[in-house]
């Protein structure tokens, strides 16, 4: 069923399906956490994601999606999102986002988090903390009766108060029976603007935050988005479900480890 804004409203049976896809996505990231070390290539991390997802009888949603060639996205340092795993080796001091979307029985679950290699700089650590906290602050506003603008405004206000910038070129999205559905979930905006949240909605919030300017550009591979000023960027993503009382985070880490430190 769709509401008047064209946003899918899911029932509790649908929710059970979406939850199972979300569990596999977050378990994939829990598994990846053990493999992060200097010298490992991002392609080998992708292979581990691929094999893990298949071992759970699910499919990686990104593989073949609009021509995307891999089973996850790995975005290193100044890469904002959609980094394509390849033969680059992780090195001490790197920060990276791994973004996994799984399909199980036709249901989608999408999550990403940051990982760190060895010792990172204080400013990288602060970036990761602010980005993580901005996601949780957005989720706090994801309540029935609030608007999508309330979520975006809360994220933007918090990030800018901390002298960092929110990426405007990419957004969160409705999810469930498809990878990307209405609405676009902006990580900036004005309180009380945009569609109203209702029980049964399922969507991602996935703020990307830059230490420097917010502008991005896409590299010649047509996927990799980087900061124009080469400043470091971070991202965290959860899939959440709106219920009568508030919301439920569907992609929580079973190991209780979402922040990398
Ligand atoms: N998982 C990403 C998201 O959060 C989308 C990746 S699409 C890809 O929406 F094709 F780049 F993999
Ligand atoms: Co994602
Ligand atoms: Co997403």
């Amino acid at each position: 069923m769709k509401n008047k804004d064209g946003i899918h409203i899911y029932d509790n049976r649908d929710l059970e399906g979406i939850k199972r896809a979300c569990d596999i996505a977050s378990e994939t990231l829990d598994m990846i956490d053990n493999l992060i070390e200097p010298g490992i290539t991002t392609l080998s991390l992708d292979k581990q994601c691929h094999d893990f997802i298949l071992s759970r009888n699910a499919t990686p949603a990104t593989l073949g999606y609009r021509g995307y060639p891999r089973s996850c996205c790995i975005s290193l340092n100044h890469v904002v999102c959609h980094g394509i795993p390849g033969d680059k080796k992780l090195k001490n001091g790197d920060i990276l986002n791994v973004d996994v979307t799984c399909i199980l029985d036709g249901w989608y679950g999408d999550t990403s988090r940051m990982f760190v290699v060895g010792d990172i700089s204080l400013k990288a650590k602060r970036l990761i903390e602010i980005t993580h906290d901005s996601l949780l602050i957005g989720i706090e506003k994801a309540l029935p009766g609030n608007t999508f603008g309330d979520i975006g405004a809360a994220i933007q206000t918090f990030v800018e108060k901390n002298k960092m910038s929110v990426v405007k070129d990419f957004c969160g999205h409705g999810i469930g029976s498809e990878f990307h559905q209405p609405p676009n979930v902006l990580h900036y905006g004005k309180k009380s603007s945009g569609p109203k949240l209702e029980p049964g909605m399922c969507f991602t919030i996935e703020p990307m935050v830059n230490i420097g300017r917010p502008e991005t550009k896409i590299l010649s591979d047509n996927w990799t988005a980087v900061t124009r000023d080469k400043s470091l960027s971070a991202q965290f993503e959860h899939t959440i479900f709106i219920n009568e009382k508030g919301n439920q985070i569907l992609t929580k880490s079973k190991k209780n480890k979402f922040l990398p430190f």
Side-chain angles (χ1 to χ4, degrees):
M1 193 183 96
K2 285 185 192 168
N3 79 351
K4 65 169 175 47
D5 297 307
I7 302 171
H8 276 259
I9 303 297
Y10 293 103
D11 64 25
N12 284 331
R13 281 246 318 270
D14 303 334
L15 174 60
E16 289 314 308
I18 299 169
K19 267 186 182 166
R20 283 193 284 271
C22 285
D23 281 343
I24 299 169
S26 66
E27 285 165 25
T28 307
L29 296 181
D30 285 340
M31 178 276 299
I32 284 297
D33 189 37
N34 302 317
L35 304 176
I36 302 288
E37 59 175 24
I40 191 165
T41 67
T42 55
L43 191 60
S44 70
L45 294 175
D46 179 76
K47 169 102 172 70
Q48 297 290 326
C49 285
H50 179 89
D51 292 351
F52 182 84
I53 294 166
L54 292 193
S55 78
R56 302 294 304 269
N57 298 314
T59 326
T62 57
L63 188 58
Y65 175 77
R66 300 189 178 184
Y68 186 82
R70 300 287 176 220
S71 299
C72 65
C73 298
I74 302 185
S75 303
L76 262 175
N77 299 325
H78 75 296
V79 179
V80 174
C81 62
H82 303 164
I84 303 175
D87 49 23
K88 199 183 217 94
K89 291 187 167 88
L90 299 185
K91 58 176 193 318
N92 188 52
D94 282 343
I95 65 168
L96 59 148
N97 174 280
V98 181
D99 190 339
V100 169
T101 310
C102 295
I103 317 172
L104 185 73
D105 302 329
W107 299 109
Y108 289 73
D110 188 4
T111 182
S112 82
R113 60 175 101 134
M114 298 302 291
F115 299 92
V116 302
V117 187
D119 314 304
I120 61 164
S121 69
L122 208 63
K123 64 178 206 274
K125 184 162 190 258
R126 220 183 126 246
L127 169 69
I128 291 171
E129 277 169 347
I130 298 294
T131 310
H132 169 270
D133 293 356
S134 80
L135 169 59
L136 298 192
I137 283 165
I139 292 174
E140 281 175 15
K141 298 286 177 192
L143 306 171
N146 277 3
T147 69
F148 281 93
D150 293 334
I151 298 174
I155 293 171
Q156 181 177 23
T157 304
F158 174 75
V159 169
E160 293 178 356
K161 202 175 66 196
N162 284 286
K163 305 279 177 250
M164 295 184 183
S165 63
V166 174
V167 171
K168 318 266 187 327
D169 302 335
F170 301 93
C171 58
H173 49 92
I175 188 168
S177 54
E178 295 167 286
F179 196 166
H180 295 109
Q181 295 179 323
N184 284 338
V185 180
L186 307 182
H187 305 113
Y188 61 94
K190 295 226 178 311
K191 264 190 209 170
S192 309
S193 70
K196 255 197 182 155
L197 278 71
E198 292 173 37
M201 288 182 178
C202 187
F203 55 88
T204 73
I205 307 180
E206 47 182 298
M208 285 140 273
V209 174
N210 300 345
I211 286 188
R213 304 268 321 149
E215 290 82 10
T216 69
K217 67 174 181 192
I218 310 267
L219 301 186
S220 59
D221 62 18
N222 287 325
W223 281 107
T224 310
V226 300
T227 55
R228 279 195 177 261
D229 65 4
K230 304 262 168 62
S231 70
L232 282 183
S233 187
Q235 179 178 28
F236 284 87
E237 173 176 29
H238 271 316
T239 296
I240 68 170
F241 184 81
I242 304 303
N243 56 33
E244 304 285 341
K245 285 188 255 162
N247 67 63
Q248 201 179 343
I249 300 175
L250 305 184
T251 44
K252 271 198 177 142
S253 164
K254 296 236 172 57
K255 290 192 175 156
N256 244 318
K257 196 175 173 216
F258 197 54
L259 259 178
F261 37 73

